[in-house]
Amino acid sequence: MNAVIARTRFSVLDRSRTREGHTPGEALRDTVALAREVEALGYHRFWVSEHHGVPGVAGSAPTVLAAAVAGATRTVRVGTGGVMLPNHRPLVVAEQFGVLESLFPGRIDMGLGRSVGFTDGVRRALGRDKGDAEDFAAQLAELLGWFEGTSPTGVRARPAQGLRVPPFVLAMGEGADVAARAGLPLVIGDLRDRDRMRRGIDHYRDRFRPSPWAAEPYVMISGTVAVAGTAEAARRLLVPEAWSMAYARTHGTFPPLPPADAVAARPMTARERGFYESGLTGHIAGTADQVGHELETVLKETAADEVLVTTSTYDRTALLDSYRLLAALVHSRTAAARPDGRTGTGIPGPHGDTRRDADPARAGDAGEVSRNQ
């Protein structure tokens, strides 16, 4: 089973979660600092997210934040997980990614989602409503057309036209069908609902149509992975996010993350307690051995090409330790699976390595916490 992990890429999505007692600016700087750390650990990609009007998330402008991350790093691929396309004009999105790719050639990913604002008020402020998500397939086609120079308007997207920025579709359910019909890589979550995730992946693979952007299906599964010295310490990493999610489900607003120790002292209604306890279950969390076993199981079940780790917690030191332990786990399983016993550690090499043809970006080499062939 070591080979299952050894042939899989591992990447990171940081949602710039704000924390009680800390400013949004700190959250954004924490994201940039984490990108440097996970690059040194050899992760394949580092992505940032888009949220509007959410007290618990500072990342409202993902392409701006991606530029800061790319400027602070050298080798890790940088992208969005994702830009919510219904919130924007496709031309503007193409221009933004064209600028990013021009500044950081060969390192930019374009992760795209179909969600609109978190609340009715945010949607009104954006000039959008829930129905705009239904036009996602057309918006996606228009966006890709700006890169391909096929817009019927006669306008040319500068500097995007002619560039190849790998697109990924963030999806569940219907979104997986959009990704398949467009012939694009799929990012699917979450790990807490394995049956639904597997159905989405099967649907995607069954209906995939090759395109100029991807010759074959490519699946990235996403979710929380927490590794610590003990199972209890790993569970503590889950506590702040579980409480914030429970609060959001019962109060309609997503708050900053509290310290894990503070959660135990907070009163909860029975309904809140139910959401909170549910939020602690289903993730991949535990010691390195426990996480390794669980990762092998889910990768065997899904045959995923990549894992996008989306863990959020209050304690940033413990979060970084979790990423270090996960990187060590991947390197050890990779070494065990390779006949020469090498771990493949080191600085990632030049982009376009033909040993990584399954990656839509065709990027990276044996220095990553990723597929080592």
Side-chain angles (χ1 to χ4, degrees), residues 3-10 42 330-335 337-340 342-346 353 355-356 364-373:
V4 178
I5 289 180
R7 67 168 183 256
T8 305
R9 295 182 179 87
F10 284 80
V330 174
H331 284 313
S332 67
R333 299 298 171 100
T334 300
R338 293 179 65 155
D340 58 9
R342 292 188 297 114
T343 63
T345 56
D353 189 331
R355 291 173 296 172
R356 300 307 180 94
D365 77 355
E368 297 160 347
V369 180
S370 55
R371 184 175 288 126
N372 290 280
Q373 298 175 347

mmCIF file of all heavy atoms in Angstrom, residues 3-10 42 330-335 337-340 342-346 353 355-356 364-373:
data_model
loop_
_atom_site.group_PDB
_atom_site.id
_atom_site.type_symbol
_atom_site.label_atom_id
_atom_site.label_comp_id
_atom_site.label_asym_id
_atom_site.label_seq_id
_atom_site.Cartn_x
_atom_site.Cartn_y
_atom_site.Cartn_z
ATOM 1 N N ALA A 3 2.845 2.237 -2.136
ATOM 2 C CA ALA A 3 2.866 2.783 -3.490
ATOM 3 C C ALA A 3 1.669 3.684 -3.749
ATOM 4 O O ALA A 3 1.746 4.586 -4.586
ATOM 5 C CB ALA A 3 2.900 1.645 -4.503
ATOM 6 N N VAL A 4 0.564 3.473 -3.063
ATOM 7 C CA VAL A 4 -0.619 4.309 -3.270
ATOM 8 C C VAL A 4 -0.322 5.750 -2.885
ATOM 9 O O VAL A 4 -0.636 6.691 -3.630
ATOM 10 C CB VAL A 4 -1.810 3.769 -2.453
ATOM 11 C CG1 VAL A 4 -3.031 4.665 -2.625
ATOM 12 C CG2 VAL A 4 -2.142 2.342 -2.859
ATOM 13 N N ILE A 5 0.294 5.951 -1.740
ATOM 14 C CA ILE A 5 0.674 7.296 -1.320
ATOM 15 C C ILE A 5 1.831 7.814 -2.162
ATOM 16 O O ILE A 5 1.857 8.989 -2.541
ATOM 17 C CB ILE A 5 1.029 7.309 0.177
ATOM 18 C CG1 ILE A 5 -0.244 7.125 1.017
ATOM 19 C CG2 ILE A 5 1.747 8.593 0.574
ATOM 20 C CD1 ILE A 5 -0.027 7.109 2.507
ATOM 21 N N ALA A 6 2.766 6.952 -2.503
ATOM 22 C CA ALA A 6 3.953 7.380 -3.238
ATOM 23 C C ALA A 6 3.611 7.954 -4.600
ATOM 24 O O ALA A 6 4.313 8.829 -5.102
ATOM 25 C CB ALA A 6 4.916 6.208 -3.396
ATOM 26 N N ARG A 7 2.528 7.488 -5.208
ATOM 27 C CA ARG A 7 2.204 7.975 -6.549
ATOM 28 C C ARG A 7 1.202 9.141 -6.527
ATOM 29 O O ARG A 7 0.715 9.564 -7.575
ATOM 30 C CB ARG A 7 1.651 6.832 -7.392
ATOM 31 C CG ARG A 7 0.292 6.296 -6.950
ATOM 32 C CD ARG A 7 -0.280 5.371 -8.036
ATOM 33 N NE ARG A 7 -1.607 4.894 -7.681
ATOM 34 C CZ ARG A 7 -1.881 3.678 -7.246
ATOM 35 N NH1 ARG A 7 -0.902 2.801 -7.093
ATOM 36 N NH2 ARG A 7 -3.113 3.309 -6.964
ATOM 37 N N THR A 8 0.931 9.666 -5.361
ATOM 38 C CA THR A 8 -0.061 10.727 -5.215
ATOM 39 C C THR A 8 0.598 12.054 -4.866
ATOM 40 O O THR A 8 1.496 12.100 -4.023
ATOM 41 C CB THR A 8 -1.079 10.359 -4.104
ATOM 42 O OG1 THR A 8 -1.659 9.084 -4.401
ATOM 43 C CG2 THR A 8 -2.169 11.404 -3.992
ATOM 44 N N ARG A 9 0.154 13.115 -5.494
ATOM 45 C CA ARG A 9 0.627 14.452 -5.123
ATOM 46 C C ARG A 9 -0.135 14.953 -3.894
ATOM 47 O O ARG A 9 -1.297 14.629 -3.703
ATOM 48 C CB ARG A 9 0.406 15.435 -6.280
ATOM 49 C CG ARG A 9 1.214 15.105 -7.504
ATOM 50 C CD ARG A 9 0.979 16.144 -8.601
ATOM 51 N NE ARG A 9 1.790 15.806 -9.752
ATOM 52 C CZ ARG A 9 1.392 14.975 -10.720
ATOM 53 N NH1 ARG A 9 0.194 14.440 -10.676
ATOM 54 N NH2 ARG A 9 2.201 14.698 -11.731
ATOM 55 N N PHE A 10 0.523 15.792 -3.119
ATOM 56 C CA PHE A 10 -0.108 16.425 -1.965
ATOM 57 C C PHE A 10 0.075 17.929 -2.075
ATOM 58 O O PHE A 10 1.180 18.413 -2.334
ATOM 59 C CB PHE A 10 0.482 15.885 -0.659
ATOM 60 C CG PHE A 10 -0.017 14.514 -0.315
ATOM 61 C CD1 PHE A 10 0.532 13.384 -0.930
ATOM 62 C CD2 PHE A 10 -1.037 14.343 0.595
ATOM 63 C CE1 PHE A 10 0.057 12.120 -0.640
ATOM 64 C CE2 PHE A 10 -1.505 13.078 0.904
ATOM 65 C CZ PHE A 10 -0.967 11.959 0.284
ATOM 66 N N GLY A 42 8.043 20.633 0.296
ATOM 67 C CA GLY A 42 7.910 19.920 -0.963
ATOM 68 C C GLY A 42 6.503 19.691 -1.461
ATOM 69 O O GLY A 42 6.297 18.875 -2.366
ATOM 70 N N VAL A 330 4.600 11.104 3.894
ATOM 71 C CA VAL A 330 4.610 10.854 2.450
ATOM 72 C C VAL A 330 6.005 10.456 1.990
ATOM 73 O O VAL A 330 6.173 9.516 1.210
ATOM 74 C CB VAL A 330 4.099 12.093 1.694
ATOM 75 C CG1 VAL A 330 4.250 11.907 0.194
ATOM 76 C CG2 VAL A 330 2.638 12.363 2.048
ATOM 77 N N HIS A 331 7.017 11.169 2.471
ATOM 78 C CA HIS A 331 8.386 10.838 2.077
ATOM 79 C C HIS A 331 8.769 9.427 2.523
ATOM 80 O O HIS A 331 9.429 8.687 1.782
ATOM 81 C CB HIS A 331 9.366 11.850 2.665
ATOM 82 C CG HIS A 331 9.380 13.167 1.950
ATOM 83 N ND1 HIS A 331 9.434 13.263 0.582
ATOM 84 C CD2 HIS A 331 9.347 14.433 2.421
ATOM 85 C CE1 HIS A 331 9.432 14.543 0.232
ATOM 86 N NE2 HIS A 331 9.373 15.268 1.331
ATOM 87 N N SER A 332 8.357 9.031 3.722
ATOM 88 C CA SER A 332 8.718 7.700 4.211
ATOM 89 C C SER A 332 8.021 6.612 3.403
ATOM 90 O O SER A 332 8.625 5.584 3.079
ATOM 91 C CB SER A 332 8.359 7.556 5.695
ATOM 92 O OG SER A 332 6.959 7.588 5.901
ATOM 93 N N ARG A 333 6.739 6.833 3.057
ATOM 94 C CA ARG A 333 6.025 5.844 2.252
ATOM 95 C C ARG A 333 6.591 5.792 0.834
ATOM 96 O O ARG A 333 6.643 4.730 0.220
ATOM 97 C CB ARG A 333 4.532 6.180 2.206
ATOM 98 C CG ARG A 333 3.840 6.182 3.569
ATOM 99 C CD ARG A 333 3.883 4.813 4.251
ATOM 100 N NE ARG A 333 3.407 4.858 5.615
ATOM 101 C CZ ARG A 333 2.187 4.484 6.003
ATOM 102 N NH1 ARG A 333 1.323 4.043 5.114
ATOM 103 N NH2 ARG A 333 1.844 4.536 7.273
ATOM 104 N N THR A 334 7.013 6.953 0.317
ATOM 105 C CA THR A 334 7.620 6.992 -1.011
ATOM 106 C C THR A 334 8.928 6.225 -1.024
ATOM 107 O O THR A 334 9.213 5.434 -1.935
ATOM 108 C CB THR A 334 7.852 8.445 -1.446
ATOM 109 O OG1 THR A 334 6.596 9.133 -1.475
ATOM 110 C CG2 THR A 334 8.488 8.519 -2.821
ATOM 111 N N ALA A 335 9.757 6.444 0.009
ATOM 112 C CA ALA A 335 11.036 5.736 0.097
ATOM 113 C C ALA A 335 10.826 4.233 0.180
ATOM 114 O O ALA A 335 11.542 3.452 -0.447
ATOM 115 C CB ALA A 335 11.817 6.231 1.306
ATOM 116 N N ALA A 337 8.417 2.581 -1.050
ATOM 117 C CA ALA A 337 7.862 2.056 -2.293
ATOM 118 C C ALA A 337 8.867 2.044 -3.430
ATOM 119 O O ALA A 337 8.645 1.402 -4.453
ATOM 120 C CB ALA A 337 6.640 2.879 -2.699
ATOM 121 N N ARG A 338 9.996 2.768 -3.262
ATOM 122 C CA ARG A 338 10.968 2.872 -4.338
ATOM 123 C C ARG A 338 12.080 1.839 -4.153
ATOM 124 O O ARG A 338 12.591 1.654 -3.050
ATOM 125 C CB ARG A 338 11.576 4.280 -4.375
ATOM 126 C CG ARG A 338 10.570 5.337 -4.763
ATOM 127 C CD ARG A 338 11.178 6.713 -4.768
ATOM 128 N NE ARG A 338 12.210 6.839 -5.790
ATOM 129 C CZ ARG A 338 12.558 8.006 -6.332
ATOM 130 N NH1 ARG A 338 11.947 9.119 -5.954
ATOM 131 N NH2 ARG A 338 13.498 8.060 -7.254
ATOM 132 N N PRO A 339 12.470 1.183 -5.224
ATOM 133 C CA PRO A 339 13.493 0.135 -5.087
ATOM 134 C C PRO A 339 14.844 0.657 -4.637
ATOM 135 O O PRO A 339 15.607 -0.079 -4.007
ATOM 136 C CB PRO A 339 13.581 -0.455 -6.511
ATOM 137 C CG PRO A 339 12.995 0.591 -7.411
ATOM 138 C CD PRO A 339 11.957 1.285 -6.589
ATOM 139 N N ASP A 340 15.131 1.952 -4.933
ATOM 140 C CA ASP A 340 16.426 2.502 -4.519
ATOM 141 C C ASP A 340 16.394 3.077 -3.121
ATOM 142 O O ASP A 340 17.401 3.524 -2.590
ATOM 143 C CB ASP A 340 16.905 3.570 -5.510
ATOM 144 C CG ASP A 340 15.927 4.725 -5.661
ATOM 145 O OD1 ASP A 340 14.956 4.781 -4.874
ATOM 146 O OD2 ASP A 340 16.133 5.559 -6.560
ATOM 147 N N ARG A 342 15.279 5.854 -2.080
ATOM 148 C CA ARG A 342 15.431 7.305 -1.957
ATOM 149 C C ARG A 342 14.095 7.950 -1.619
ATOM 150 O O ARG A 342 13.037 7.494 -2.027
ATOM 151 C CB ARG A 342 15.965 7.899 -3.263
ATOM 152 C CG ARG A 342 17.400 7.498 -3.552
ATOM 153 C CD ARG A 342 17.963 8.244 -4.747
ATOM 154 N NE ARG A 342 17.252 7.933 -5.973
ATOM 155 C CZ ARG A 342 16.519 8.814 -6.658
ATOM 156 N NH1 ARG A 342 16.357 10.038 -6.202
ATOM 157 N NH2 ARG A 342 15.936 8.472 -7.785
ATOM 158 N N THR A 343 14.156 9.075 -0.882
ATOM 159 C CA THR A 343 12.936 9.773 -0.507
ATOM 160 C C THR A 343 12.522 10.796 -1.524
ATOM 161 O O THR A 343 11.395 11.252 -1.530
ATOM 162 C CB THR A 343 13.115 10.505 0.838
ATOM 163 O OG1 THR A 343 14.130 11.500 0.683
ATOM 164 C CG2 THR A 343 13.482 9.531 1.927
ATOM 165 N N GLY A 344 13.421 11.222 -2.396
ATOM 166 C CA GLY A 344 13.069 12.242 -3.364
ATOM 167 C C GLY A 344 12.986 13.622 -2.767
ATOM 168 O O GLY A 344 12.371 14.512 -3.339
ATOM 169 N N THR A 345 13.586 13.838 -1.601
ATOM 170 C CA THR A 345 13.516 15.160 -0.996
ATOM 171 C C THR A 345 14.470 16.109 -1.687
ATOM 172 O O THR A 345 15.429 15.707 -2.327
ATOM 173 C CB THR A 345 13.884 15.085 0.495
ATOM 174 O OG1 THR A 345 15.176 14.501 0.622
ATOM 175 C CG2 THR A 345 12.869 14.274 1.255
ATOM 176 N N GLY A 346 14.245 17.394 -1.558
ATOM 177 C CA GLY A 346 15.087 18.397 -2.182
ATOM 178 C C GLY A 346 14.249 19.482 -2.798
ATOM 179 O O GLY A 346 13.032 19.484 -2.708
ATOM 180 N N ASP A 353 8.448 18.713 -16.427
ATOM 181 C CA ASP A 353 9.066 17.400 -16.284
ATOM 182 C C ASP A 353 8.139 16.342 -16.881
ATOM 183 O O ASP A 353 7.019 16.170 -16.443
ATOM 184 C CB ASP A 353 9.297 17.123 -14.795
ATOM 185 C CG ASP A 353 10.125 15.877 -14.546
ATOM 186 O OD1 ASP A 353 10.064 14.959 -15.370
ATOM 187 O OD2 ASP A 353 10.832 15.853 -13.523
ATOM 188 N N ARG A 355 8.044 13.330 -16.537
ATOM 189 C CA ARG A 355 7.662 12.241 -15.631
ATOM 190 C C ARG A 355 6.336 12.528 -14.951
ATOM 191 O O ARG A 355 5.790 11.692 -14.269
ATOM 192 C CB ARG A 355 8.751 12.058 -14.568
ATOM 193 C CG ARG A 355 10.063 11.502 -15.111
ATOM 194 C CD ARG A 355 11.124 11.503 -14.040
ATOM 195 N NE ARG A 355 11.448 12.851 -13.618
ATOM 196 C CZ ARG A 355 12.236 13.119 -12.592
ATOM 197 N NH1 ARG A 355 12.759 12.138 -11.884
ATOM 198 N NH2 ARG A 355 12.506 14.361 -12.260
ATOM 199 N N ARG A 356 5.796 13.717 -15.134
ATOM 200 C CA ARG A 356 4.569 14.123 -14.462
ATOM 201 C C ARG A 356 3.446 14.398 -15.455
ATOM 202 O O ARG A 356 2.670 15.297 -15.286
ATOM 203 C CB ARG A 356 4.825 15.387 -13.638
ATOM 204 C CG ARG A 356 5.892 15.203 -12.580
ATOM 205 C CD ARG A 356 5.563 13.981 -11.711
ATOM 206 N NE ARG A 356 6.587 13.824 -10.713
ATOM 207 C CZ ARG A 356 6.500 14.332 -9.503
ATOM 208 N NH1 ARG A 356 5.456 15.001 -9.144
ATOM 209 N NH2 ARG A 356 7.476 14.145 -8.657
ATOM 210 N N GLY A 364 6.714 20.101 -11.962
ATOM 211 C CA GLY A 364 7.275 19.534 -10.753
ATOM 212 C C GLY A 364 8.259 18.415 -11.035
ATOM 213 O O GLY A 364 8.460 17.997 -12.159
ATOM 214 N N ASP A 365 8.890 17.931 -9.982
ATOM 215 C CA ASP A 365 9.766 16.779 -10.117
ATOM 216 C C ASP A 365 9.854 16.028 -8.810
ATOM 217 O O ASP A 365 9.035 16.195 -7.926
ATOM 218 C CB ASP A 365 11.145 17.194 -10.649
ATOM 219 C CG ASP A 365 12.026 17.832 -9.593
ATOM 220 O OD1 ASP A 365 11.563 18.057 -8.460
ATOM 221 O OD2 ASP A 365 13.175 18.099 -9.905
ATOM 222 N N ALA A 366 10.855 15.200 -8.662
ATOM 223 C CA ALA A 366 10.914 14.294 -7.519
ATOM 224 C C ALA A 366 11.192 14.989 -6.210
ATOM 225 O O ALA A 366 11.256 14.357 -5.178
ATOM 226 C CB ALA A 366 11.987 13.236 -7.771
ATOM 227 N N GLY A 367 11.332 16.306 -6.205
ATOM 228 C CA GLY A 367 11.554 17.020 -4.960
ATOM 229 C C GLY A 367 10.286 17.333 -4.229
ATOM 230 O O GLY A 367 10.305 17.909 -3.153
ATOM 231 N N GLU A 368 9.130 16.990 -4.802
ATOM 232 C CA GLU A 368 7.867 17.360 -4.185
ATOM 233 C C GLU A 368 7.349 16.277 -3.249
ATOM 234 O O GLU A 368 7.752 15.128 -3.338
ATOM 235 C CB GLU A 368 6.812 17.593 -5.278
ATOM 236 C CG GLU A 368 7.170 18.741 -6.189
ATOM 237 C CD GLU A 368 6.405 18.628 -7.499
ATOM 238 O OE1 GLU A 368 5.835 17.560 -7.753
ATOM 239 O OE2 GLU A 368 6.405 19.599 -8.248
ATOM 240 N N VAL A 369 6.430 16.682 -2.382
ATOM 241 C CA VAL A 369 5.630 15.706 -1.645
ATOM 242 C C VAL A 369 4.549 15.291 -2.631
ATOM 243 O O VAL A 369 3.445 15.803 -2.615
ATOM 244 C CB VAL A 369 5.003 16.322 -0.398
ATOM 245 C CG1 VAL A 369 4.183 15.292 0.350
ATOM 246 C CG2 VAL A 369 6.073 16.876 0.516
ATOM 247 N N SER A 370 4.873 14.401 -3.552
ATOM 248 C CA SER A 370 4.004 14.167 -4.689
ATOM 249 C C SER A 370 4.414 12.884 -5.377
ATOM 250 O O SER A 370 5.248 12.130 -4.893
ATOM 251 C CB SER A 370 4.101 15.349 -5.661
ATOM 252 O OG SER A 370 5.448 15.567 -6.019
ATOM 253 N N ARG A 371 3.848 12.677 -6.544
ATOM 254 C CA ARG A 371 4.125 11.451 -7.283
ATOM 255 C C ARG A 371 5.603 11.387 -7.652
ATOM 256 O O ARG A 371 6.166 12.291 -8.218
ATOM 257 C CB ARG A 371 3.254 11.425 -8.537
ATOM 258 C CG ARG A 371 3.402 10.154 -9.335
ATOM 259 C CD ARG A 371 2.425 10.136 -10.497
ATOM 260 N NE ARG A 371 1.084 9.931 -9.979
ATOM 261 C CZ ARG A 371 0.089 10.745 -10.261
ATOM 262 N NH1 ARG A 371 0.273 11.802 -10.981
ATOM 263 N NH2 ARG A 371 -1.102 10.493 -9.789
ATOM 264 N N ASN A 372 6.260 10.265 -7.307
ATOM 265 C CA ASN A 372 7.678 10.064 -7.628
ATOM 266 C C ASN A 372 7.784 8.860 -8.546
ATOM 267 O O ASN A 372 7.631 7.724 -8.102
ATOM 268 C CB ASN A 372 8.484 9.832 -6.345
ATOM 269 C CG ASN A 372 8.599 11.065 -5.512
ATOM 270 O OD1 ASN A 372 9.419 11.929 -5.794
ATOM 271 N ND2 ASN A 372 7.776 11.184 -4.483
ATOM 272 N N GLN A 373 8.073 9.110 -9.815
ATOM 273 C CA GLN A 373 8.081 8.032 -10.800
ATOM 274 C C GLN A 373 9.481 7.866 -11.364
ATOM 275 O O GLN A 373 10.259 8.798 -11.366
ATOM 276 C CB GLN A 373 7.104 8.341 -11.930
ATOM 277 C CG GLN A 373 5.662 8.446 -11.426
ATOM 278 C CD GLN A 373 4.705 8.873 -12.521
ATOM 279 O OE1 GLN A 373 5.101 9.311 -13.583
ATOM 280 N NE2 GLN A 373 3.436 8.718 -12.267
#
